[in-house]
Amino acid sequence: MPLPGGLWWLLCCRRGFTLLHRDYGDGELSGDGDEDEDEETFELRTPSPAGGGRGPLDVTLTQPVRSGPVSDRLQSWEETRSLIPEKGPSEDDPDVVVKGWLYREPRGGGARPWLPPRRAWFLLTRDSLDQFSSSGKGARRLGSLVLTSLCSVTGPERRPKETGLWSVTVSGRKHSVRLCSPRQAEAERWGVALREVIASKAPLETPTQLLLRDIQESCGDPEAVALIYRRNPILRHTSGALYAPLLPLPYGVSAPGPGYAPLREEAVRLFLALQALEGARRPGPLMQGVLQTCRDLPALRDELFLQLAKQTSGPAGPPGPPATQDPAALRYWQLLTCMSCTFRPGGPVRGHLLGHLERTEQALPDSELAEYARFIRKALGRTRGRELVPSLAEISALSRRQELLCTVHCPGAGACPVSIDSHTTAGEVARELVGRLGLTRSRNAFALYEQRGAQERALAGGTLVADVLTRFENLAAEEAGLEDPPDSGWRLCLRLHGPLHPEGLSPDGHELPFLFEQEPGGGAPQKLCLGLGAKAMSLSRPGETQPVHSVSYGRVAACQLMGPHTLALRVGESQLLLQSPQVEEIMQLVNAYLANPSPERPSSSPPPCQDLPDTFPPSQHPGLDEPQGQSGCLGQLQD
């Protein structure tokens, strides 16, 4: 006989657990618009001991659904009380862990702070926390909270503004109990005892977890796997809402940081965000927000992987194409691609996800879904965890299953484009550029740097370049709101990093510009001496007679004052920036030598110097015809 509200209660036994389920017949979600809804429509049960009897899975599991009228359902306090026998406190019960008088905050006391706490007798057993009106055998039961492995305890904490008492809060599936005591030691004793009881409880499993186990055990029989999916809509794509997480998440645990709800509520919000992707005009920011939530709340990562596996399974069971031909239906696959390049799923979830991808490839080998599945499987084998979630540019590239193009600035070579993926490291980019520049035989070491103006920092070889690009994007977004944002943004540079070996460098090689770049803390010199002779200029370390490098004036293509203390020299394809308080004197001497014709530069050629001060003929500078000429130390040299 049907129950009021058109609901049937199905009771089935399997693996020693009881599954309480409301079936609407067609397996789809439904709701009547009632604002008061059940948190979930199934009960979690402890798995049976090994060797328990098993039968075929002949019960249909549906999505958690909204219940009927409030009058048709047990209230939360009645639900938990019904699981505890109606009896007074037993003083000699061996299951009693701790007992005593405490103050209890009235139900809804957080919303009604004017209600004073009431005194009650509490008994903590291995199964529940019970409240009684007194300690006698005939005491009236005030309430009970069933303790499972998903319950949580917070505190003790003192609430001086409200009551001045020390409180410990125990959170269950439907409600929480706050125990209060004027003594901190007593509150701590109850907190420790509650945590020990909860930790001793066997882990609970959701029906979804049991179905994943069945799928894994039947992976060699495609027909059996397809049957499990057909009989259990909870595993398939749905357009309805999800009112409870697919995995067991602790009750009442507040998420860290402002703006986050408890974990179970955040899991439901994630599913709503997934469904919003289908109609989003700009899915990138929404995807990035979902990824950021999973980064901030690691407990939700496996939950989101399962939700995405569910939504990419097809409405008729896996594997299957999207519900419509709208490209927006592919966004579940695109977000799953971003997830696989950012986080590593846990063991059971990873196994289920890999099986789902493999079945998709086998059933639809020439489809776009199979291309996504292959890309995701490859990414899961390489992902080791990210410091930051993908940038919007990376999300756009991953949605198209393409590599990301980044720009690295190299001395003497300008901006070098490099193709990277979500797993490319700074060391790999540095090695690729060293090879491009023909520096593989160099005795010097090179590294990738992040730089903005005078700020720079060497990146460790294992740093993911994609994380660095995300950091640049975040910094640019923060500075966009400033009244006076910086003039130049962050960029990646290839710089000299290891021990310096300048001997034998060719003036035409790409390695020379690295020698003169400013690099605090590295192997490059902080100060060099510039010597101006009749035919060439030379660079040497302070106190050394042998030059590090010599450049004839005929090879100088251009020189220019870049500032009050900066001189730019272009030698062939390379450019050197010399910083010194004597740049004007240096410019006068260099200009005088460049005014003389040389075999390497015809006399008819215009002087390469620009923005030069008034020059003097060589005769006005005694000693310019001598080979050594003038010399002086430069404060800094950089490319």
Side-chain angles (χ1 to χ4, degrees):
M1 180 176 180
L3 294 177
L7 303 180
W8 286 265
W9 296 90
L10 300 181
L11 188 64
C12 69
C13 295
R14 180 180 177 277
R15 290 185 177 169
F17 74 93
T18 301
L19 177 64
L20 198 59
H21 170 65
R22 297 169 185 166
D23 190 5
Y24 280 86
D26 58 0
E28 291 298 325
L29 303 180
S30 62
D32 55 6
D34 186 4
E35 292 299 324
D36 188 10
E37 60 192 31
D38 269 352
E39 183 179 2
E40 54 190 343
T41 58
F42 50 79
E43 289 289 340
L44 303 178
R45 290 293 181 261
T46 304
S48 64
R54 292 188 54 197
L57 186 64
D58 52 2
V59 60
T60 301
L61 299 178
T62 68
Q63 292 280 354
V65 295
R66 296 193 180 201
S67 306
V70 176
S71 59
D72 297 336
R73 293 177 287 138
L74 290 174
Q75 298 298 319
S76 60
W77 64 273
E78 294 175 337
E79 179 182 12
T80 54
R81 282 188 59 185
S82 65
L83 301 178
I84 305 297
E86 287 291 342
K87 62 180 182 179
S90 176
E91 297 296 330
D92 55 354
D93 190 344
D95 289 336
V96 174
V97 178
V98 63
K99 57 188 176 182
W101 288 99
L102 294 171
Y103 290 93
R104 64 183 179 91
E105 188 177 86
R107 186 174 304 278
R112 296 177 293 176
W114 59 85
L115 294 177
R118 299 178 181 179
R119 199 163 179 259
W121 181 259
F122 283 86
L123 285 180
L124 174 61
T125 69
R126 293 296 176 184
D127 295 317
S128 64
L129 175 66
D130 305 324
Q131 310 173 39
F132 297 92
S133 59
S134 68
S135 58
K137 290 187 177 181
R140 180 170 57 92
R141 180 190 300 275
L142 302 177
S144 296
L145 179 65
V146 178
L147 299 178
T148 68
S149 62
L150 299 184
C151 293
S152 62
V153 180
T154 58
E157 60 181 354
R158 193 178 184 186
R159 309 178 69 193
K161 293 183 179 180
E162 292 85 356
T163 62
L165 302 176
W166 291 89
S167 65
V168 175
T169 303
V170 190
S171 299
R173 187 173 74 92
K174 287 291 186 178
H175 66 277
S176 301
V177 177
R178 179 168 289 159
L179 311 179
C180 303
S181 172
R183 296 185 297 275
Q184 180 182 2
E186 185 176 23
E188 291 178 348
R189 181 168 67 97
W190 278 88
V192 171
L194 285 164
R195 290 184 174 92
E196 290 178 350
V197 170
I198 294 173
S200 66
K201 308 300 290 185
L204 296 182
E205 291 183 303
T206 64
T208 304
Q209 286 180 299
L210 298 174
L211 291 174
L212 297 188
R213 188 181 304 169
D214 285 337
I215 293 174
Q216 185 66 26
E217 294 174 355
S218 305
C219 61
D221 188 351
E223 294 183 359
V225 173
L227 182 62
I228 294 174
Y229 273 92
R230 285 198 300 270
R231 288 183 173 180
N232 298 280
I234 198 172
L235 298 172
R236 307 197 306 260
H237 178 279
T238 180
S239 58
L242 189 70
Y243 296 108
L246 303 177
L247 293 177
L249 296 175
Y251 306 130
V253 176
S254 298
Y260 283 119
L263 290 177
R264 297 174 66 82
E265 186 176 341
E266 285 295 335
V268 175
R269 290 182 178 180
L270 280 180
F271 194 78
L272 295 176
L274 298 190
Q275 295 176 317
L277 279 176
E278 295 187 24
R281 298 183 60 183
R282 296 180 63 245
L286 182 55
M287 290 184 181
Q288 193 177 50
V290 170
L291 295 171
Q292 185 63 44
T293 298
C294 288
R295 180 187 178 274
D296 296 339
L297 309 177
L300 295 183
R301 295 173 185 175
D302 281 356
E303 173 72 21
L304 184 59
F305 272 117
L306 274 188
Q307 291 181 7
L308 288 171
K310 167 185 171 63
Q311 293 300 92
T312 54
S313 292
T324 67
Q325 299 301 319
D326 188 349
L330 291 175
R331 289 175 180 171
Y332 293 118
W333 284 98
Q334 294 167 352
L335 180 55
L336 183 56
T337 301
C338 296
M339 280 288 293
S340 66
C341 293
T342 310
F343 307 112
R344 289 175 56 87
V349 174
R350 179 184 177 87
H352 174 71
L353 182 58
L354 290 175
H356 167 57
L357 298 174
E358 184 176 358
R359 289 188 291 271
T360 301
E361 292 182 54
Q362 293 174 351
L364 307 167
D366 299 326
S367 67
E368 189 174 8
L369 301 187
E371 294 296 330
Y372 277 107
R374 280 188 284 270
F375 188 96
I376 294 170
R377 282 213 302 162
K378 182 179 179 180
L380 288 174
R382 300 181 59 193
T383 300
R384 294 295 180 268
R386 295 280 296 270
E387 177 186 350
L388 299 172
V389 302
S391 63
L392 293 177
E394 184 182 356
I395 290 175
S396 177
L398 289 175
S399 298
R400 302 188 302 271
R401 307 185 306 279
Q402 297 177 353
E403 292 185 325
L404 180 64
L405 194 66
C406 73
T407 301
V408 181
H409 297 266
C410 305
C416 301
V418 180
S419 296
I420 65 168
D421 57 26
S422 302
H423 321 285
T424 305
T425 64
E428 292 172 341
V429 172
R431 286 192 292 271
E432 178 180 345
L433 291 175
V434 166
R436 285 194 202 175
L437 299 175
L439 304 177
T440 53
R441 296 184 179 181
S442 172
R443 300 169 61 189
N444 297 314
F446 302 87
L448 210 60
Y449 279 69
E450 55 182 14
Q451 181 190 69
R452 182 177 69 174
Q455 304 179 57
E456 62 179 22
R457 183 175 70 91
L459 299 175
T463 302
L464 295 180
V465 179
D467 279 341
V468 179
L469 297 181
T470 299
R471 183 161 57 250
F472 290 173
E473 181 182 272
N474 295 340
L475 291 172
E478 294 175 2
E479 294 169 350
L482 300 178
E483 296 181 359
D484 187 18
D487 296 333
S488 58
W490 289 89
R491 65 178 189 173
L492 291 173
C493 300
L494 183 68
R495 307 294 300 271
L496 189 66
H497 183 67
L500 181 65
H501 296 281
E503 296 81 7
L505 297 183
S506 170
D508 299 326
H510 287 289
E511 191 168 7
L512 181 63
F514 288 95
L515 180 66
F516 307 118
E517 64 183 0
Q518 177 185 359
E519 185 185 359
Q526 298 301 302
K527 182 178 292 186
L528 292 176
C529 289
L530 174 67
L532 301 178
K535 299 181 180 179
M537 63 179 68
S538 64
L539 294 167
S540 61
R541 299 188 184 93
E544 297 185 4
T545 57
Q546 295 296 326
V548 173
H549 185 67
S550 297
V551 178
S552 63
Y553 295 111
R555 297 189 55 80
V556 177
C559 63
Q560 183 179 6
L561 283 174
M562 303 295 293
H565 302 295
T566 304
L567 171 67
L569 291 176
R570 181 168 296 279
V571 181
E573 298 297 328
S574 302
Q575 177 174 282
L576 306 180
L577 295 182
L578 287 71
Q579 295 181 348
S580 171
Q582 299 174 300
V583 289
E584 293 189 4
E585 292 83 352
I586 296 172
M587 283 294 296
Q588 293 177 3
L589 296 176
V590 172
N591 185 66
Y593 284 116
L594 294 178
N596 295 327
S598 67
E600 297 173 331
R601 184 180 62 253
S603 58
S604 59
S605 300
C609 294
Q610 305 173 17
D611 299 332
L612 299 181
D614 294 336
T615 57
F616 302 91
S619 60
Q620 297 183 13
H621 297 275
L624 290 182
D625 295 332
E626 299 176 4
Q628 296 299 324
Q630 301 291 323
S631 66
C633 286
L634 302 176
Q636 294 174 334
L637 282 115
Q638 66 176 11
D639 178 77

